[in-house]
Amino acid sequence: MRYLTFALTKGRLADKTMELLNKAGITCREMQDKNTRKLIFVNEDLKMKFFLSKGPDVPTYVEYGAADIGIVGKDTIMEEGRNIYEVLDLGFGKCRMCVCGPQEARECLKHHELIRVATKYPNIAKDYFYNKKNQTVEIIKLNGSIELAPIVGLSEVIVDIVETGSTLRENGLTVLEEVCPLSARMVVNQVSMRMENQRITELITSVNKVLKEERDIIL
Ligand code: PRP
């Protein structure tokens, strides 16, 4: 049996993923050492490997088959636009992709003015303004602290992730439009899905069962 390889998003998402996989009987003792700087971990009994990568790289590893399965945010899947299968919504890491800005920017949006949009997600922003809203805008790519842009006059609005809304509030900004809801997803390489169909289908079924049980407890 060959190894089934998972690409996990380093950080909180990887911790939440392992918590969920553990409940589905998929464990990796090596990964429990929180002080390790290792990037790849193995469970020889299950013939599974797990590696930690930066979120935007997860769809790349999965598309090229360096990983069979990936766990990554929907925002990254949309932005990267890779040829991969999205098979499961894991329900954690819930947040929203939104157009945000100062209240005054509402008017510019309403009148479809040629505005500047700062974002870490130029493809998502482009798709939203050009294809969904039919509004021509200038998109400015930034790498973080996006909320700064309208405050210092770089752009009228931003397209960014809103989770609790506190970054917006503390910087005098607000949600103006919602682009889409986001959460962590499981993605699968297209060839692996065919070649390792039984193992991957069983995995999806058992993770889905845990998710359903958790939902039932909440309800
Ligand atoms: C994200 C996002 C917002 C913030 C939203 O930034 O870009 O700035 O979190 O969270 P909130 O609604 O709970 O305040 P992140 O912390 O990932 O850092 P970044 O600014 O470098 O992107």
Side-chain angles (χ1 to χ4, degrees), residues 120 144-145 147 160-167:
K120 202 154 90 171
S145 302
E147 290 83 357
D160 199 20
I161 290 173
V162 180
E163 193 183 347
T164 61
S166 50
T167 312

Side-chain angles (χ1 to χ4, degrees), residues 15-29 31-32 43 46 50 207 210:
D15 296 342
K16 296 281 280 177
T17 302
M18 288 318 289
E19 220 176 90
L20 174 66
L21 292 181
N22 285 350
K23 289 180 193 157
I26 298 158
T27 54
C28 186
R29 183 133 37 97
M31 270 182 102
Q32 282 161 6
N43 181 329
L46 297 175
F50 304 85
V207 172
V210 174

Side-chain angles (χ1 to χ4, degrees), residues 54-161:
K54 284 274 185 191
D57 298 335
V58 168
T60 313
Y61 283 112
V62 175
E63 182 182 275
Y64 283 91
D68 302 289
I69 294 165
I71 310 292
V72 65
K74 177 70 178 174
D75 49 320
T76 306
I77 298 172
M78 289 165 68
E79 182 61 25
E80 296 300 312
R82 295 280 176 182
N83 289 313
I84 49 180
Y85 293 135
E86 185 186 316
V87 295
L88 208 53
D89 183 344
L90 302 180
F92 52 78
K94 274 199 171 126
C95 48
R96 300 180 293 155
M97 185 65 73
C98 297
V99 179
C100 313
Q103 281 294 356
E104 311 86 82
R106 246 178 233 289
E107 287 302 304
C108 319
L109 287 172
K110 209 157 78 192
H111 300 119
H112 281 214
E113 286 174 30
L114 178 59
I115 50 169
R116 290 198 286 205
V117 180
T119 185
K120 202 154 90 171
Y121 303 91
N123 293 327
I124 295 176
K126 219 175 285 171
D127 179 62
Y128 180 69
F129 279 101
Y130 283 71
N131 300 333
K132 299 210 173 73
K133 293 196 51 160
N134 284 316
Q135 179 174 0
T136 307
V137 295
E138 184 182 343
I139 289 166
I140 302 171
K141 162 90 181 6
L142 290 179
N143 295 295
S145 302
I146 316 298
E147 290 83 357
L148 269 176
I151 301 172
V152 300
L154 177 68
S155 70
E156 280 77 16
V157 298
I158 61 174
V159 167
D160 199 20
I161 290 173

